[in-house]
Amino acid sequence: METKSPDAVSALGALAHEHRLAIYRLLVQAGPEGRAAGVIADALGVPASSLSFHLAHLTRAGLILQRRESRSLIYSADFGAMNALVGFLTENCCGGASCAPAAAPKKRKAS
Amino acid sequence: METKSPDAVSALGALAHEHRLAIYRLLVQAGPEGRAAGVIADALGVPASSLSFHLAHLTRAGLILQRRESRSLIYSADFGAMNALVGFLTENCCGGASCAPAAAPKKRKAS
DNA sequence: CCAATAATTCGATGATACTGGAAATGTGGA
DNA sequence: TCCACATTTCCAGTATCATCGAATTATTGG
């Protein structure tokens, strides 16, 4: 649970897209049970091949998990990854606490 | 302090780049005082024109602020924006609390 | 084995993003 | 006013990303 800069960049990049953010939010709402690719495509109105591209992107970034269930591929949110990302942002991009003005920076093992 | 999806996408996109993330972190460490563009360029070893491009990107996304101080343009982190982003991620991309497995999703004013 | 279903991979196209040198802009001192 | 400094804007050139139909790869039922 030690998100490093490169990981953070790819996680941020993965979420920095309208469709992918929507996919991720849908999967978060779905919980550990997840949703089949087809269901997601249907819910968001994205063509299957485009969706597949985005799912792969999110998977590469480690934000979602894939498992097969008979004919369907089920995707689910990896909550640990998001936790790590939020932790990274809070630690490295805020004062450390909760984004206080941070006038008094403490030593922090950067990068 | 109500980050909406489009804002989140642009904020995430702004941070989803090695140089820009480095810039942002540097400015967070610098605190409200901020740093001049030249100082940042020097610290990160990025050519002035490239840096300017990234600073503009971060500024457009609302993550950093610009002010002039004599000949220098001083950039500083906008802590409120980061706070809002973290809030958005926590609310919309986690169970709501702190990324609990979220087996029991509560009603959440999505989007 | 064959047909049907579920998704991915391929491939071509168009759009955006990144980079960095050179020129332009703003600012202050002599 | 003139020059030096601090940055940005302009402009190519290159690279990467996004889209989506068609072809391909799994998986299951008959």
Side-chain angles (χ1 to χ4, degrees):
Chain A
M1 216 58 81
E2 253 301 312
T3 304
K4 307 219 170 44
S5 288
D7 302 337
V9 168
S10 60
L12 290 165
L15 292 173
H17 186 282
E18 188 189 0
H19 288 164
R20 289 194 294 266
L21 186 56
I23 292 169
Y24 191 80
R25 291 174 67 177
L26 188 154
L27 291 180
V28 166
Q29 287 180 17
E33 175 190 350
R35 289 280 185 274
V39 173
I40 301 172
D42 213 46
L44 303 184
V46 178
S49 71
S50 297
L51 185 84
S52 196
F53 168 80
H54 292 302
L55 287 171
H57 201 314
L58 285 164
T59 304
R60 266 199 311 278
L63 287 168
I64 64 177
L65 301 168
Q66 182 196 60
R67 72 177 190 273
R68 181 173 280 279
E69 204 154 289
S70 176
R71 267 182 263 201
S72 300
L73 284 174
I74 311 289
Y75 289 90
S76 57
D78 182 334
F79 291 92
M82 176 55 71
N83 219 349
L85 178 59
V86 170
F88 175 87
L89 290 179
T90 304
E91 282 213 19
N92 294 274
C93 300
C94 293
S98 92
C99 269
K106 339 159 123 155
K107 267 293 147 3
R108 165 156 306 104
K109 68 122 214 322
S111 193
Chain B
M1 219 55 73
E2 254 300 313
T3 303
K4 308 224 169 40
S5 288
D7 301 336
V9 168
S10 60
L12 290 165
L15 292 173
H17 186 283
E18 188 188 0
H19 288 164
R20 287 193 295 266
L21 186 56
I23 291 168
Y24 191 79
R25 291 174 68 177
L26 187 154
L27 290 181
V28 166
Q29 287 180 19
E33 175 190 350
R35 288 282 185 273
V39 173
I40 301 171
D42 213 46
L44 303 184
V46 178
S49 70
S50 297
L51 184 85
S52 195
F53 169 80
H54 292 302
L55 286 171
H57 201 316
L58 285 164
T59 304
R60 265 199 310 279
L63 287 167
I64 63 176
L65 302 168
Q66 182 197 59
R67 72 175 189 274
R68 181 174 279 280
E69 202 152 291
S70 177
R71 270 183 261 200
S72 301
L73 283 174
I74 311 289
Y75 289 90
S76 57
D78 182 333
F79 291 93
M82 176 54 72
N83 218 350
L85 178 59
V86 170
F88 175 88
L89 291 179
T90 304
E91 282 211 19
N92 294 272
C93 299
C94 293
S98 93
C99 269
K106 335 160 127 151
K107 267 295 150 1
R108 163 158 308 100
K109 65 121 214 317
S111 194

